[in-house]
Amino acid sequence: MGFGRAAGSVATLHEARTARDVERVVADARAAGGRVLARGLGRAYGDAAQCAGGELVDCTPMARLLELDSEHGVVRAEGGCSIASLLRTCVPRGWFVPVTPGTRHVTLGGAVAADVHGKNHHRDGSFGGHVVALEVVGASGTARVGPGLDPERYWATVGGMGLTGVVTEVTVKLRRIATSRLAVTTERAPDLDACMARLTELDAGHGYTVAWVDGLASGGRLGRSVITAGDHAALDDLPAGMRADALAYDPRTPLSVPVAPPVSLVGRGTLRAFNEAWYRKAPRRRVGEIQSIAQFFHPLDAVRDWNRLYGPRGFTQYQLVVPFSGADVVRRTLELLQRAHVLPALCVLKSFGSASAAPMSFPMPGWTLAADLPLGSPALAGVLDEIDGVVAGAGGRVYLAKDGRLRPELLSTMYPRVAEWRAVCERHDPEQLFVSDLWRRVAAVA
Ligand SMILES: Cc1cc2nc3c(=O)[nH]c(=O)nc-3n(C[C@H](O)[C@H](O)[C@H](O)COP(=O)(O)OP(=O)(O)OC[C@H]3O[C@@H](n4cnc5c(N)ncnc54)[C@H](O)[C@@H]3O)c2cc1C
């Protein structure tokens, strides 16, 4: 299953400890006419890391950090190494990952395959822009690729959702930090226009920005939000007591959801109360609050297995991006979800900066909105199809790493370079050995 715990499929799982293990799985599958796919930590929400009836390469045992150049901030690690584990080693030495998604529990291979973005996209772009080199085990053998070394294959792998092969090694440039803390500005915005206007202003002055949006607020309060903007704190920003251990990094996971409850615990009443409290508790404006890396970047990681709260039906995340000219699609999306009585449980809004060179990369300059949606509402499929049409009509797209339901008709409208990317995949993998449930669905292939 994906992180949304819906629509799983059955495959044979192979634990890969080395690139040689991966090569063996690929060779055996090829000889048997089977299908193969890499799997990392399973944080894609839908079916991107599933390969029904095929051979799934579990990359997580391949998790060693191979080399850290502490002077220049370049790290080489195996494809199954997680951002969590990288941070544990790099932060105390004064280095941070160039891009982190909203959870640290993703592998480097998964970060490359989805070309992940973070709160700094407006300034630093997505993950693939910071990679120096990759080792990829593909259908036709093992290759080293990078932006300057077989760039075509490199950019096809970035955002390629595992379909060019298994990434067994990643070399990536890190960011120098003086402390392990962030200096954070928090502001409330009363509605969507105010939120977008302030995010735009804060983008100009801060490395990291994002807004939590109350997805249930409607009418004049539609889009009311809590904006956070942050930057890595300098030593002088820290209170004296923190300076001695300025690079301390010890994230905790104090809570967990041990089993999935029989019904979803995310209901309209609790969500409305939570959103109201969250909005009211936020300061109108607070500047210079010191937060840890875990608080600022990975607050959801504080509760292990929180995705189980959605009960046996699971949930999906709908994440769209539209060019700035299509900003109104954000409002329309919230209105359509509300009208359909679908529960936007956790909504996040951010502006993106420049797109990457990768043909299948999700981000483009514009607004991105992500909403966690519990499955089970009869209106959900219809309203998301309707929103897809609005998004595509505005020149936008949905994020395949979160998707479990996009119809194939819209793929080439949303990803206009898909044919160019497929041609590269098929040049290296003419038998289409690498396939996922996601790809079978969106490309309608057997
Ligand atoms: C709470 C939460 C917050 C998130 N926040 C963000 C965010 O802010 N920004 C963002 O961009 N994404 C975000 N994501 C999505 C997540 O970053 C991506 O789905 C990422 O790809 C997951 O990595 P993984 O190791 O779990 O890969 P999986 O989920 O296991 O796999 C995802 C895809 O990557 C491929 N893949 C995995 N490993 C390899 C490999 N070694 N070689 C080749 N292909 C591979 C798989 O085939 C699959 O197509 C979030 C997810 C969660 C659960």
Side-chain angles (χ1 to χ4, degrees):
M1 287 188 297
F3 191 72
R5 297 174 54 81
S9 68
V10 177
T12 306
L13 197 64
H14 302 265
E15 283 187 7
R17 299 195 174 276
T18 64
R20 305 296 85 77
D21 292 346
V22 179
E23 286 167 352
R24 262 191 300 278
V25 177
V26 171
D28 289 351
R30 193 172 185 185
R35 294 287 176 264
V36 189
L37 186 72
R39 184 172 172 97
L41 280 160
R43 259 48 180 196
Y45 278 69
D47 49 5
Q50 297 173 196
C51 181
E55 316 301 317
L56 211 44
V57 180
D58 174 7
C59 295
T60 56
M62 202 168 43
R64 284 178 306 160
L65 195 157
L66 302 168
E67 202 180 335
L68 173 62
D69 176 345
S70 292
E71 202 186 326
H72 302 102
V74 177
V75 67
R76 188 165 66 86
E78 289 181 325
C81 178
S82 66
I83 286 188
S85 122
L86 211 56
L87 291 176
R88 274 197 301 275
T89 305
C90 296
V91 172
R93 291 171 171 78
W95 295 101
F96 190 63
V97 285
V99 171
T100 175
T103 171
R104 59 183 174 265
H105 301 300
V106 301
T107 63
L108 293 179
V112 169
D115 193 19
V116 297
H117 56 269
K119 293 180 179 182
N120 57 342
H121 191 278
H122 62 285
R123 211 171 252 195
D124 300 318
S126 48
F127 197 84
H130 304 270
V131 169
V132 177
L134 300 176
E135 181 184 76
V136 187
V137 177
S140 51
T142 302
R144 275 192 86 71
V145 299
L149 182 69
D150 198 347
E152 185 186 70
R153 193 162 173 192
Y154 171 70
W155 290 113
T157 300
V158 171
M161 302 305 288
L163 300 186
T164 61
V166 181
V167 173
T168 46
E169 213 181 279
V170 178
T171 306
V172 66
K173 278 183 274 172
L174 301 170
R175 164 187 303 273
R176 182 53 102 189
I177 48 171
T179 76
S180 59
R181 309 301 205 288
L182 284 294
V184 182
T185 296
T186 305
E187 287 185 16
R188 282 194 327 212
D191 58 36
L192 193 58
D193 288 342
C195 176
M196 287 177 159
R198 273 311 279 156
L199 268 176
T200 306
E201 286 164 3
L202 289 164
D203 277 354
H206 296 277
Y208 302 98
T209 58
V210 78
W212 165 86
V213 176
D214 178 355
L216 293 180
S218 55
R221 298 184 313 165
L222 186 120
R224 73 173 177 173
S225 39
V226 179
I227 304 172
T228 44
D231 296 283
H232 292 285
L235 203 56
D236 290 351
D237 295 331
L238 301 190
M242 265 186 200
R243 288 185 199 163
D245 209 2
L247 287 164
Y249 179 67
D250 184 20
R252 302 278 163 89
T253 309
L255 303 165
S256 81
V257 181
V259 288
V263 292
S264 172
L265 297 184
V266 183
R268 186 168 295 275
T270 43
L271 191 62
R272 195 173 287 285
F274 173 84
N275 285 4
E276 189 64 35
W278 195 256
Y279 182 75
R280 297 269 157 230
K281 147 184 156 324
R284 261 180 225 290
R285 181 169 156 81
R286 179 177 56 209
V287 178
E289 186 198 5
I290 297 298
Q291 291 189 4
S292 69
I293 285 172
Q295 273 175 303
F296 185 74
F297 290 106
H298 310 127
L300 292 169
D301 289 343
V303 184
R304 194 187 310 274
D305 295 326
W306 62 264
N307 53 340
R308 291 178 173 165
L309 290 172
Y310 286 87
R313 284 186 161 147
F315 71 118
T316 188
Q317 186 181 96
Y318 189 84
Q319 183 169 0
L320 64 85
V321 60
V322 282
F324 288 115
S325 58
D328 206 45
V329 172
V330 173
R331 173 184 308 281
R332 186 133 170 74
T333 298
L334 291 170
E335 283 170 353
L336 284 169
L337 291 173
Q338 291 177 1
R339 200 174 307 155
H341 301 290
V342 165
L343 214 55
L346 179 65
C347 290
V348 171
L349 180 70
K350 157 135 201 81
S351 61
F352 277 157
S354 306
S356 120
M360 291 301 283
S361 180
F362 165 68
M364 63 168 76
W367 291 106
T368 184
L369 177 76
D372 282 359
L373 306 168
L375 294 176
S377 153
L380 184 63
V383 72
L384 292 185
D385 283 351
E386 186 177 353
I387 296 169
D388 282 346
V390 177
V391 169
R397 55 174 72 119
V398 299
Y399 191 13
L400 297 179
K402 310 283 178 75
D403 181 58
R405 31 74 44 202
L406 179 70
R407 287 164 301 147
E409 304 90 89
L410 286 176
L411 183 69
S412 58
T413 310
M414 291 187 172
Y415 288 88
R417 295 176 67 193
V418 64
E420 174 198 332
W421 168 73
R422 258 336 268 176
V424 180
C425 295
E426 284 170 23
R427 219 163 16 252
H428 297 284
D429 179 13
E431 291 156 349
Q432 304 196 30
L433 189 62
F434 286 92
V435 80
S436 61
D437 290 359
L438 167 89
W439 180 246
R440 284 181 171 127
R441 177 170 53 77
V442 295
V445 291

